[in-house]
Amino acid sequence: MDKRIRRPAEQSLAGVQLTTFFGRSRELVEVCQRLNAGDRVVTLTGSPGVGKTRLASELLVHMNEHYEASVFIRLAELGVHADMVDAEQRICNLLIAALRISHHQPNADPTDVLIEHVRDRRVLIVLDNCEQVLDAVAELVNRIITETVMVQVIATSRPYLDVQGEHRVHLGPLSTPAEGADRAAAERSDAVQLLADRAAAVGRPLTEQDDWQAIVDLVRWSSGIPLVLELIAAQFGRGRAPAVVLDRLQGGASLKYGPGARGIPKHHLALDIAITESWDLCSPQQQRVWARLTVFSGGFTLDAAEEVCADELIDRGEILETLDHLVRHSIIEGASPDGRYRQHTFLREYGRRSLSKAGELNDVSERHCRWIAGLARQAAEQWFGPEEVRWLDLVNAESRNIAAAVAWCSDKGLNERGLAIMVDVLLTRAPFFFATEVQVCRRVEEQLREGPVVASEVRISALAMAGWVWIALGEQSRGKTLLDECVRLACEAGKDDAPAVQLVEGTYEALALGQRSGFAKLAAASAGFRAAGADGPAFMADLFHAMTAGLLGPAEEADRMSQRCLSEARRRGAEWAVTWAEWTRGLPACSEPVTDNPEPLRRQIALGDLWGPGWWVERKAWELAKDGDYVGAARAIGGSDSLQARHGVHYNGLASFKPHRGRAKAEIALVLGPVESTAAYLEGSLLTDEQIVALAFGDTDPAAEPTLNERQWAIVRLVAQGLKNQQIAKTVRFSVRTVETELTTIYGLLGVAGRRELAEWYRARSAPTGVPTAPVGPRRRG
């Protein structure tokens, strides 16, 4: 028998690249390295349309020359076969034909024939779209790798094969622009670059005149999934404006190629076709769970899924196993290190339509809202203690679910219920910790405008909490408007001495107006909260009492309240609360300000506090001016202003802050003069977050991080200019492979996630002078 394998005279259609390859250089390098290292099976997994087939075809082109033969077998057209043996034999026949294996016996078993002919040969087999014949593929691949020596297999599949020796590479979405990004920022993301490329290919290039907000919203809706982006581009090619496509998405049902499209795989002709394949591979129970999970927004934990999805039809004990199935089939993303599962928008909306058709949307949404309300109430009651940071992280992690629950309350006319959830969120202090207080307060104001104006306890509390936050942010006018309405309704209800009302009144008088009369109201608020068992809000009243006393005096009041806060926070084991109590000990009115201990700030940074560092830098500026370091003081003030602008706060304009800042600025101007002081302020404002915080540590010249070499700088600069790897390679006269390898090294060195973050990092360092400084990885927020 002739055992020769004939190399095909023409490369498979998979090797003919009809579209530009985007955003997968890291995965491409990883799989090539795996194959070169001898891995026998690499399975590319991911959700429908994520680009598994496209990456596999690119791999075939890159690796083809290393093999005696390589083939690309499309399995999508086989359909679902109940008979695994029949499916396995059909796949073997496709492989035998593609490899042009000749001189085998007609009645021989196809699997035996295939293995006999490739047993000692170096062959690369690509099996595309394995999910519908998964068992047959897994059985065949297992025989191939155990009975041959050098055959390697690349499989693309929504679920993995689960064979011994398999290495799984999960494809995530392409990078997408931030919400509200402008055109320049949007075009730096891989997803927008792919959309622009495909739009140009259909004769509808994106231009400056397009509605870029609609384009950004479309790309964000796509979750960065290439198939979705290509279908959106197809809509552009049919003459539809971005805003029209966005408005007519219909949950993705409208995304399809037009009649007569050629060369498009059947399962890619429409988004719903691609998703329906995954839906049909699920059992009715799995479909029901998939649909119910769509009430979550921004991900969910196992506990949350069990709480919301289980009922008389689905036992709580079945949820985990069902999630495992949905993860394996790439319908949801597996639990990340923070324990959260996630869904792509288009898969979520498909399931949500099914949930609505089943008549379950209202009931499951009610359970979701009830779960969120319980979580927020528990967090508000229990955060002041040893698990403080866990509660903060939990409330922040569920911020999108909180918004979804509140929106559902609004839709159902349950305004007070939504307000109660938002009041509890504010009571946890999580919005301060994660610098989201502006967005949260705006949401509360929207709820207040929608509901009837009644003197209810919930409405009074919502007005008080939102007003208190705006005042603390330096938005005195906005806070005062809410305060006045709060007091009016409280008087109407006979609750003008309620602790929440006393808190906002005392904060306004002491912090915003700089009047010591506010101390008594803050003390009354503390006593009232404590009597009601609300120890967390009581501590916040004491903290603002200590803060304003430390700014306004007298020293005895500042010392007493600062020590009280510190003792109580330590007694309760609330680490973040301790750092803020420590901050009040260094305020100017204290008899002996503690200003030389940076450890509390270090703890805040380690905990992830995004709000506190700005207050420490502001206080540091006053201290530096007092000590005669006027350049350092000016830089710190510039840095404080910059941090405040980034967070949307203006506490340096509060009456209690003004005297201390004004005194520092007067001394700076007197000693340095207008030119030098302005330059120092500007220098501070242009520092990175890390460098500004370094000022509060007393490091006026923050140490530089490791630098890039000349070749790496050249690549980074070209990435920032929007060039693709092929263009960069041509410009700097390196191979594309070298550029890809260097980029992988650069990502690791700087701690950036991809091209968009790398470009932002470069521009942030080159903006002031046009010449970038030493590299520092971007700060992770939220």
Side-chain angles (χ1 to χ4, degrees):
M1 182 181 291
D2 185 355
K3 296 184 179 181
R4 290 175 297 173
I5 299 175
R6 301 178 183 177
R7 178 179 290 278
E10 296 181 1
Q11 182 56 263
S12 163
L13 284 177
V16 180
Q17 307 309 307
L18 302 178
T19 57
T20 310
F21 186 63
F22 279 95
R24 298 294 184 201
S25 57
R26 187 177 299 179
E27 293 89 344
L28 183 69
V29 170
E30 179 186 353
V31 178
C32 288
Q33 289 174 342
R34 287 282 172 186
L35 294 173
N36 288 331
D39 281 18
R40 301 296 302 281
V41 182
V42 179
T43 302
L44 308 179
T45 67
S47 61
V50 78
K52 302 181 292 293
T53 299
R54 185 66 180 83
L55 176 58
S57 65
E58 195 74 19
L59 284 162
L60 189 67
V61 172
H62 272 68
M63 299 300 295
N64 183 50
E65 63 185 24
H66 299 289
Y67 297 89
E68 294 177 49
S70 58
V71 291
F72 191 106
I73 304 298
R74 300 182 187 276
L75 303 179
E77 302 305 322
L78 288 181
V80 180
H81 288 268
D83 187 337
M84 187 181 76
V85 174
D86 176 58
E88 183 180 340
Q89 290 187 349
R90 292 186 66 186
I91 296 168
C92 284
N93 286 328
L94 290 173
L95 284 167
I96 289 169
L99 289 168
R100 299 190 179 183
I101 297 173
S102 58
H103 301 294
H104 61 272
Q105 298 298 321
N107 296 326
D109 179 85
T111 307
D112 293 337
V113 171
L114 173 67
I115 290 175
E116 177 64 22
H117 280 76
V118 301
R119 190 182 307 278
D120 300 317
R121 301 291 191 267
R122 185 162 172 74
V123 178
L124 177 63
I125 296 173
V126 180
L127 299 174
D128 185 41
N129 294 114
C130 300
E131 51 271 352
Q132 296 200 37
V133 285
L134 189 67
D135 290 339
V137 171
E139 183 65 26
L140 175 60
V141 169
N142 186 61
R143 283 199 62 185
I144 289 174
I145 63 175
T146 55
E147 298 182 30
T148 67
V149 179
M150 292 180 289
V151 177
Q152 293 174 292
V153 177
I154 297 173
T156 77
S157 178
R158 298 174 194 181
Y160 48 82
L161 303 186
D162 206 15
V163 298
Q164 188 173 9
E166 175 185 30
H167 180 83
R168 305 163 191 165
V169 176
H170 184 76
L171 301 190
L174 300 176
S175 63
T176 57
E179 186 175 1
D182 60 18
R183 180 190 177 191
E187 288 182 324
R188 295 195 288 271
S189 72
D190 288 330
V192 171
Q193 290 175 26
L194 185 145
L195 177 63
D197 178 85
R198 303 303 192 257
V202 297
R204 174 54 170 83
L206 304 183
T207 69
E208 187 177 349
Q209 285 69 43
D210 277 312
D211 182 348
W212 276 88
Q213 188 55 63
I215 291 172
V216 167
D217 289 345
L218 279 168
V219 172
R220 287 178 58 80
W221 184 90
S222 78
S223 296
I225 302 298
L227 173 61
V228 183
L229 293 164
E230 291 177 356
L231 288 167
I232 290 171
Q235 304 304 300
F236 294 169
R238 295 165 72 179
R240 297 174 184 171
V244 173
V245 178
L246 180 65
D247 184 56
R248 306 293 178 88
L249 275 172
Q250 300 172 6
S254 67
L255 294 182
K256 60 187 73 175
Y257 282 100
R262 300 287 188 271
I264 308 297
K266 181 180 177 181
H267 61 292
H268 283 178
L269 285 171
L271 184 58
D272 270 9
I273 294 176
I275 303 173
T276 299
E277 285 192 349
S278 291
W279 179 266
D280 290 342
L281 290 171
C282 295
S283 69
Q285 196 79 333
Q286 291 160 350
Q287 291 172 351
R288 182 174 283 113
V289 173
W290 173 355
R292 291 182 177 186
L293 290 171
T294 62
V295 298
F296 290 103
S297 180
F300 54 89
T301 63
L302 171 60
D303 289 342
E306 291 174 335
E307 189 73 24
V308 173
C309 295
D311 63 2
E312 64 278 359
L313 296 176
I314 301 176
D315 186 81
R316 191 182 185 99
E318 298 177 36
I319 300 296
L320 177 58
E321 184 178 345
T322 306
L323 291 180
D324 289 344
H325 173 87
L326 296 178
V327 168
R328 188 185 178 199
H329 285 257
S330 302
I331 293 162
I332 60 175
E333 296 291 319
S336 53
D338 62 1
R340 297 185 70 78
Y341 296 86
R342 290 174 171 81
Q343 311 166 81
H344 293 310
T345 305
F346 65 99
L347 291 170
R348 177 173 176 259
E349 294 201 10
Y350 182 96
R352 195 172 182 86
R353 279 182 276 148
S354 300
L355 185 67
S356 182
K357 288 177 184 177
E360 291 191 339
L361 180 58
N362 197 59
D363 289 343
V364 181
S365 296
E366 163 62 30
R367 289 203 297 272
H368 175 265
C369 183
R370 192 164 58 240
W371 163 69
I372 278 292
L375 182 146
R377 180 89 294 263
Q378 192 177 8
E381 292 173 346
Q382 298 183 19
W383 68 261
F384 189 44
E387 294 192 307
E388 174 188 33
V389 174
R390 184 181 75 84
W391 281 116
L392 290 166
D393 286 337
L394 181 57
V395 170
N396 185 64
E398 301 299 352
S399 59
R400 290 179 60 184
N401 278 312
I402 291 168
V406 172
W408 183 79
C409 288
S410 295
D411 290 343
K412 296 298 178 181
L414 305 172
N415 192 259
E416 295 250 320
R417 191 175 178 188
L419 278 176
I421 293 172
M422 296 308 300
V423 168
D424 283 337
V425 168
L426 287 172
L427 286 173
T428 67
R429 303 184 306 160
F432 285 106
F433 189 88
F434 292 101
T436 59
E437 61 276 1
V438 171
Q439 300 95 298
V440 171
C441 281
R442 285 174 178 165
R443 192 170 297 132
V444 172
E445 288 178 323
E446 289 173 4
Q447 292 289 111
L448 289 167
R449 285 193 294 270
E450 289 176 3
V453 180
V454 294
S456 67
E457 183 175 347
V458 169
R459 189 174 186 86
I460 292 169
S461 295
L463 287 163
M465 293 306 301
W468 173 68
V469 173
W470 282 125
I471 291 165
L473 298 181
E475 294 283 352
Q476 300 179 48
S477 176
R478 198 164 188 168
K480 183 62 162 58
T481 299
L482 295 177
L483 166 60
D484 290 343
E485 178 69 2
C486 173
V487 171
R488 185 183 72 78
L489 291 181
C491 290
E492 183 180 319
K495 298 181 179 295
D496 52 309
D497 60 348
V501 180
Q502 299 273 41
L503 173 65
V504 67
E505 285 190 301
T507 299
Y508 181 72
E509 289 181 20
L511 190 63
L513 302 182
Q515 298 173 358
R516 294 175 182 171
S517 59
F519 295 169
K521 292 180 180 178
L522 288 169
S526 174
F529 282 130
R530 195 162 278 110
D535 292 340
F539 174 80
M540 292 304 295
D542 286 342
L543 183 67
F544 272 69
H545 190 165
M547 176 193 303
T548 51
L551 294 168
L552 303 173
E556 314 87 70
E557 186 85 354
D559 293 345
R560 180 179 69 84
M561 289 307 303
S562 178
Q563 187 56 51
R564 174 173 172 168
C565 286
L566 186 58
S567 297
E568 179 65 6
R570 284 175 174 169
R571 185 181 71 82
R572 298 296 294 262
E575 187 177 2
W576 190 48
V578 168
T579 66
W580 276 95
E582 292 274 14
W583 179 80
T584 66
R585 296 176 68 206
L587 290 172
C590 292
S591 58
E592 295 182 10
V594 180
T595 60
D596 58 354
N597 180 15
E599 286 311 307
L601 175 56
R602 294 188 194 280
R603 291 204 302 276
Q604 278 191 355
I605 298 296
L607 291 171
D609 183 359
L610 291 175
W611 204 58
W615 294 67
W616 285 84
V617 174
E618 180 70 20
R619 199 190 76 180
K620 186 66 176 182
W622 308 341
E623 296 163 12
L624 290 171
K626 184 178 178 181
D627 293 340
D629 182 358
Y630 299 110
V631 172
R635 293 177 72 201
I637 288 176
S640 175
D641 285 343
S642 181
L643 285 177
Q644 290 180 61
R646 295 172 208 180
H647 288 188
V649 301
H650 311 283
Y651 49 74
N652 58 20
L654 293 164
S656 52
F657 275 73
K658 278 184 178 179
H660 307 290
R661 171 174 275 230
R663 188 177 302 112
K665 293 190 74 170
E667 293 175 1
I668 290 167
L670 181 64
V671 175
L672 298 183
V675 175
E676 190 176 349
S677 60
T678 300
Y681 291 137
L682 178 61
E683 185 180 357
S685 71
L686 294 175
L687 295 175
T688 65
D689 282 10
E690 291 85 352
Q691 291 169 326
I692 293 170
V693 170
L695 294 176
F697 287 144
D699 301 328
T700 53
D701 294 305
E705 298 290 335
T707 56
L708 303 178
N709 61 39
E710 185 176 347
R711 179 162 72 180
Q712 290 167 337
W713 272 121
I715 292 172
V716 172
R717 183 176 64 254
L718 294 171
V719 168
Q721 292 173 5
L723 272 66
K724 302 178 179 64
N725 287 354
Q726 293 87 342
Q727 297 169 309
I728 294 173
K730 184 176 181 180
T731 302
V732 297
R733 298 182 181 180
F734 303 148
S735 69
V736 175
R737 180 69 58 84
T738 298
V739 171
E740 292 169 348
T741 302
E742 287 286 15
L743 275 173
T744 301
T745 301
I746 292 165
Y747 293 153
L749 180 63
L750 302 182
V752 299
R755 302 177 82 89
R756 178 176 60 82
E757 283 195 8
L758 182 61
E760 290 176 352
W761 171 87
Y762 179 86
R763 278 186 286 273
R765 279 144 190 82
S766 62
T769 62
V771 180
T773 59
V776 180
R779 185 181 182 202
R780 303 290 182 190
R781 298 175 61 84

PDB file of all heavy atoms in Angstrom, residues 402-424:
ATOM      1  N   ILE A 402     -27.468  47.081  40.192  1.00  0.00           N
ATOM      2  CA  ILE A 402     -28.224  48.053  40.976  1.00  0.00           C
ATOM      3  C   ILE A 402     -28.954  49.018  40.044  1.00  0.00           C
ATOM      4  O   ILE A 402     -30.159  49.293  40.211  1.00  0.00           O
ATOM      5  CB  ILE A 402     -27.292  48.812  41.939  1.00  0.00           C
ATOM      6  CG1 ILE A 402     -26.799  47.862  43.044  1.00  0.00           C
ATOM      7  CG2 ILE A 402     -27.981  50.026  42.543  1.00  0.00           C
ATOM      8  CD1 ILE A 402     -25.653  48.416  43.865  1.00  0.00           C
ATOM      9  N   ALA A 403     -28.238  49.523  39.041  1.00  0.00           N
ATOM     10  CA  ALA A 403     -28.864  50.444  38.086  1.00  0.00           C
ATOM     11  C   ALA A 403     -30.021  49.769  37.351  1.00  0.00           C
ATOM     12  O   ALA A 403     -31.071  50.387  37.119  1.00  0.00           O
ATOM     13  CB  ALA A 403     -27.815  50.940  37.086  1.00  0.00           C
ATOM     14  N   ALA A 404     -29.837  48.487  36.982  1.00  0.00           N
ATOM     15  CA  ALA A 404     -30.904  47.764  36.275  1.00  0.00           C
ATOM     16  C   ALA A 404     -32.129  47.586  37.164  1.00  0.00           C
ATOM     17  O   ALA A 404     -33.274  47.742  36.705  1.00  0.00           O
ATOM     18  CB  ALA A 404     -30.377  46.403  35.807  1.00  0.00           C
ATOM     19  N   ALA A 405     -31.892  47.264  38.436  1.00  0.00           N
ATOM     20  CA  ALA A 405     -33.022  47.075  39.359  1.00  0.00           C
ATOM     21  C   ALA A 405     -33.771  48.384  39.579  1.00  0.00           C
ATOM     22  O   ALA A 405     -35.012  48.408  39.607  1.00  0.00           O
ATOM     23  CB  ALA A 405     -32.515  46.522  40.691  1.00  0.00           C
ATOM     24  N   VAL A 406     -33.035  49.471  39.731  1.00  0.00           N
ATOM     25  CA  VAL A 406     -33.666  50.777  39.934  1.00  0.00           C
ATOM     26  C   VAL A 406     -34.444  51.193  38.686  1.00  0.00           C
ATOM     27  O   VAL A 406     -35.556  51.743  38.781  1.00  0.00           O
ATOM     28  CB  VAL A 406     -32.607  51.833  40.318  1.00  0.00           C
ATOM     29  CG1 VAL A 406     -33.210  53.233  40.335  1.00  0.00           C
ATOM     30  CG2 VAL A 406     -31.996  51.503  41.680  1.00  0.00           C
ATOM     31  N   ALA A 407     -33.868  50.924  37.508  1.00  0.00           N
ATOM     32  CA  ALA A 407     -34.574  51.251  36.263  1.00  0.00           C
ATOM     33  C   ALA A 407     -35.872  50.439  36.150  1.00  0.00           C
ATOM     34  O   ALA A 407     -36.903  50.956  35.699  1.00  0.00           O
ATOM     35  CB  ALA A 407     -33.671  50.967  35.063  1.00  0.00           C
ATOM     36  N   TRP A 408     -35.823  49.176  36.559  1.00  0.00           N
ATOM     37  CA  TRP A 408     -37.033  48.350  36.531  1.00  0.00           C
ATOM     38  C   TRP A 408     -38.088  48.922  37.470  1.00  0.00           C
ATOM     39  O   TRP A 408     -39.274  48.963  37.144  1.00  0.00           O
ATOM     40  CB  TRP A 408     -36.686  46.911  36.918  1.00  0.00           C
ATOM     41  CG  TRP A 408     -37.858  45.980  36.834  1.00  0.00           C
ATOM     42  CD1 TRP A 408     -38.375  45.405  35.707  1.00  0.00           C
ATOM     43  CD2 TRP A 408     -38.669  45.523  37.923  1.00  0.00           C
ATOM     44  NE1 TRP A 408     -39.456  44.613  36.027  1.00  0.00           N
ATOM     45  CE2 TRP A 408     -39.663  44.657  37.379  1.00  0.00           C
ATOM     46  CE3 TRP A 408     -38.647  45.749  39.294  1.00  0.00           C
ATOM     47  CZ2 TRP A 408     -40.616  44.036  38.167  1.00  0.00           C
ATOM     48  CZ3 TRP A 408     -39.610  45.123  40.085  1.00  0.00           C
ATOM     49  CH2 TRP A 408     -40.573  44.282  39.531  1.00  0.00           C
ATOM     50  N   CYS A 409     -37.659  49.392  38.654  1.00  0.00           N
ATOM     51  CA  CYS A 409     -38.595  50.026  39.586  1.00  0.00           C
ATOM     52  C   CYS A 409     -39.268  51.234  38.940  1.00  0.00           C
ATOM     53  O   CYS A 409     -40.482  51.442  39.085  1.00  0.00           O
ATOM     54  CB  CYS A 409     -37.865  50.449  40.864  1.00  0.00           C
ATOM     55  SG  CYS A 409     -37.372  49.091  41.937  1.00  0.00           S
ATOM     56  N   SER A 410     -38.484  52.027  38.225  1.00  0.00           N
ATOM     57  CA  SER A 410     -39.050  53.202  37.552  1.00  0.00           C
ATOM     58  C   SER A 410     -40.071  52.793  36.503  1.00  0.00           C
ATOM     59  O   SER A 410     -41.151  53.384  36.402  1.00  0.00           O
ATOM     60  CB  SER A 410     -37.925  54.021  36.894  1.00  0.00           C
ATOM     61  OG  SER A 410     -37.060  54.559  37.870  1.00  0.00           O
ATOM     62  N   ASP A 411     -39.724  51.773  35.714  1.00  0.00           N
ATOM     63  CA  ASP A 411     -40.640  51.321  34.663  1.00  0.00           C
ATOM     64  C   ASP A 411     -41.962  50.823  35.246  1.00  0.00           C
ATOM     65  O   ASP A 411     -43.014  50.959  34.619  1.00  0.00           O
ATOM     66  CB  ASP A 411     -39.985  50.208  33.845  1.00  0.00           C
ATOM     67  CG  ASP A 411     -38.843  50.710  32.988  1.00  0.00           C
ATOM     68  OD1 ASP A 411     -38.761  51.930  32.773  1.00  0.00           O
ATOM     69  OD2 ASP A 411     -38.021  49.873  32.548  1.00  0.00           O
ATOM     70  N   LYS A 412     -41.888  50.233  36.438  1.00  0.00           N
ATOM     71  CA  LYS A 412     -43.089  49.665  37.064  1.00  0.00           C
ATOM     72  C   LYS A 412     -43.790  50.650  37.998  1.00  0.00           C
ATOM     73  O   LYS A 412     -44.771  50.289  38.654  1.00  0.00           O
ATOM     74  CB  LYS A 412     -42.718  48.398  37.843  1.00  0.00           C
ATOM     75  CG  LYS A 412     -42.191  47.271  36.972  1.00  0.00           C
ATOM     76  CD  LYS A 412     -43.243  46.830  35.968  1.00  0.00           C
ATOM     77  CE  LYS A 412     -42.731  45.732  35.059  1.00  0.00           C
ATOM     78  NZ  LYS A 412     -43.740  45.308  34.063  1.00  0.00           N
ATOM     79  N   GLY A 413     -43.304  51.883  38.059  1.00  0.00           N
ATOM     80  CA  GLY A 413     -43.924  52.872  38.933  1.00  0.00           C
ATOM     81  C   GLY A 413     -43.626  52.653  40.405  1.00  0.00           C
ATOM     82  O   GLY A 413     -44.323  53.187  41.271  1.00  0.00           O
ATOM     83  N   LEU A 414     -42.570  51.881  40.711  1.00  0.00           N
ATOM     84  CA  LEU A 414     -42.196  51.591  42.104  1.00  0.00           C
ATOM     85  C   LEU A 414     -41.070  52.539  42.527  1.00  0.00           C
ATOM     86  O   LEU A 414     -39.978  52.119  42.926  1.00  0.00           O
ATOM     87  CB  LEU A 414     -41.755  50.124  42.235  1.00  0.00           C
ATOM     88  CG  LEU A 414     -42.774  49.085  41.745  1.00  0.00           C
ATOM     89  CD1 LEU A 414     -42.162  47.693  41.738  1.00  0.00           C
ATOM     90  CD2 LEU A 414     -44.012  49.123  42.639  1.00  0.00           C
ATOM     91  N   ASN A 415     -41.363  53.840  42.455  1.00  0.00           N
ATOM     92  CA  ASN A 415     -40.322  54.837  42.630  1.00  0.00           C
ATOM     93  C   ASN A 415     -39.689  54.793  44.015  1.00  0.00           C
ATOM     94  O   ASN A 415     -38.456  54.905  44.162  1.00  0.00           O
ATOM     95  CB  ASN A 415     -40.904  56.225  42.349  1.00  0.00           C
ATOM     96  CG  ASN A 415     -39.829  57.275  42.224  1.00  0.00           C
ATOM     97  OD1 ASN A 415     -39.584  58.019  43.159  1.00  0.00           O
ATOM     98  ND2 ASN A 415     -39.175  57.336  41.077  1.00  0.00           N
ATOM     99  N   GLU A 416     -40.495  54.651  45.049  1.00  0.00           N
ATOM    100  CA  GLU A 416     -39.960  54.650  46.415  1.00  0.00           C
ATOM    101  C   GLU A 416     -39.052  53.441  46.653  1.00  0.00           C
ATOM    102  O   GLU A 416     -38.070  53.527  47.380  1.00  0.00           O
ATOM    103  CB  GLU A 416     -41.110  54.658  47.429  1.00  0.00           C
ATOM    104  CG  GLU A 416     -41.944  55.919  47.403  1.00  0.00           C
ATOM    105  CD  GLU A 416     -41.751  56.769  48.654  1.00  0.00           C
ATOM    106  OE1 GLU A 416     -41.668  56.185  49.739  1.00  0.00           O
ATOM    107  OE2 GLU A 416     -41.673  58.010  48.527  1.00  0.00           O
ATOM    108  N   ARG A 417     -39.382  52.342  46.026  1.00  0.00           N
ATOM    109  CA  ARG A 417     -38.535  51.160  46.161  1.00  0.00           C
ATOM    110  C   ARG A 417     -37.158  51.401  45.548  1.00  0.00           C
ATOM    111  O   ARG A 417     -36.131  51.027  46.110  1.00  0.00           O
ATOM    112  CB  ARG A 417     -39.223  49.976  45.482  1.00  0.00           C
ATOM    113  CG  ARG A 417     -38.592  48.637  45.766  1.00  0.00           C
ATOM    114  CD  ARG A 417     -39.443  47.538  45.145  1.00  0.00           C
ATOM    115  NE  ARG A 417     -38.865  46.228  45.345  1.00  0.00           N
ATOM    116  CZ  ARG A 417     -39.330  45.130  44.768  1.00  0.00           C
ATOM    117  NH1 ARG A 417     -40.400  45.207  43.974  1.00  0.00           N
ATOM    118  NH2 ARG A 417     -38.757  43.962  44.978  1.00  0.00           N
ATOM    119  N   GLY A 418     -37.152  52.043  44.379  1.00  0.00           N
ATOM    120  CA  GLY A 418     -35.876  52.386  43.747  1.00  0.00           C
ATOM    121  C   GLY A 418     -35.077  53.372  44.572  1.00  0.00           C
ATOM    122  O   GLY A 418     -33.856  53.252  44.703  1.00  0.00           O
ATOM    123  N   LEU A 419     -35.758  54.370  45.132  1.00  0.00           N
ATOM    124  CA  LEU A 419     -35.070  55.349  45.984  1.00  0.00           C
ATOM    125  C   LEU A 419     -34.477  54.687  47.218  1.00  0.00           C
ATOM    126  O   LEU A 419     -33.364  55.028  47.648  1.00  0.00           O
ATOM    127  CB  LEU A 419     -36.050  56.449  46.408  1.00  0.00           C
ATOM    128  CG  LEU A 419     -36.304  57.570  45.418  1.00  0.00           C
ATOM    129  CD1 LEU A 419     -37.374  58.518  45.963  1.00  0.00           C
ATOM    130  CD2 LEU A 419     -35.024  58.359  45.125  1.00  0.00           C
ATOM    131  N   ALA A 420     -35.186  53.734  47.792  1.00  0.00           N
ATOM    132  CA  ALA A 420     -34.685  53.046  48.986  1.00  0.00           C
ATOM    133  C   ALA A 420     -33.383  52.317  48.672  1.00  0.00           C
ATOM    134  O   ALA A 420     -32.439  52.305  49.478  1.00  0.00           O
ATOM    135  CB  ALA A 420     -35.727  52.073  49.512  1.00  0.00           C
ATOM    136  N   ILE A 421     -33.307  51.694  47.493  1.00  0.00           N
ATOM    137  CA  ILE A 421     -32.072  51.014  47.090  1.00  0.00           C
ATOM    138  C   ILE A 421     -30.926  52.015  46.978  1.00  0.00           C
ATOM    139  O   ILE A 421     -29.811  51.775  47.472  1.00  0.00           O
ATOM    140  CB  ILE A 421     -32.282  50.277  45.752  1.00  0.00           C
ATOM    141  CG1 ILE A 421     -33.262  49.119  45.928  1.00  0.00           C
ATOM    142  CG2 ILE A 421     -30.946  49.772  45.193  1.00  0.00           C
ATOM    143  CD1 ILE A 421     -33.672  48.449  44.616  1.00  0.00           C
ATOM    144  N   MET A 422     -31.182  53.168  46.350  1.00  0.00           N
ATOM    145  CA  MET A 422     -30.122  54.154  46.150  1.00  0.00           C
ATOM    146  C   MET A 422     -29.675  54.775  47.470  1.00  0.00           C
ATOM    147  O   MET A 422     -28.485  55.076  47.654  1.00  0.00           O
ATOM    148  CB  MET A 422     -30.601  55.247  45.181  1.00  0.00           C
ATOM    149  CG  MET A 422     -30.897  54.741  43.770  1.00  0.00           C
ATOM    150  SD  MET A 422     -29.539  53.780  43.051  1.00  0.00           S
ATOM    151  CE  MET A 422     -28.217  54.990  43.078  1.00  0.00           C
ATOM    152  N   VAL A 423     -30.598  54.985  48.411  1.00  0.00           N
ATOM    153  CA  VAL A 423     -30.212  55.501  49.725  1.00  0.00           C
ATOM    154  C   VAL A 423     -29.271  54.517  50.406  1.00  0.00           C
ATOM    155  O   VAL A 423     -28.241  54.905  50.978  1.00  0.00           O
ATOM    156  CB  VAL A 423     -31.466  55.750  50.601  1.00  0.00           C
ATOM    157  CG1 VAL A 423     -31.054  56.000  52.053  1.00  0.00           C
ATOM    158  CG2 VAL A 423     -32.247  56.938  50.073  1.00  0.00           C
ATOM    159  N   ASP A 424     -29.578  53.220  50.329  1.00  0.00           N
ATOM    160  CA  ASP A 424     -28.709  52.224  50.948  1.00  0.00           C
ATOM    161  C   ASP A 424     -27.332  52.196  50.287  1.00  0.00           C
ATOM    162  O   ASP A 424     -26.309  52.015  50.961  1.00  0.00           O
ATOM    163  CB  ASP A 424     -29.361  50.843  50.872  1.00  0.00           C
ATOM    164  CG  ASP A 424     -30.465  50.660  51.906  1.00  0.00           C
ATOM    165  OD1 ASP A 424     -30.439  51.379  52.927  1.00  0.00           O
ATOM    166  OD2 ASP A 424     -31.349  49.816  51.697  1.00  0.00           O
TER     167      ASP A 424
END
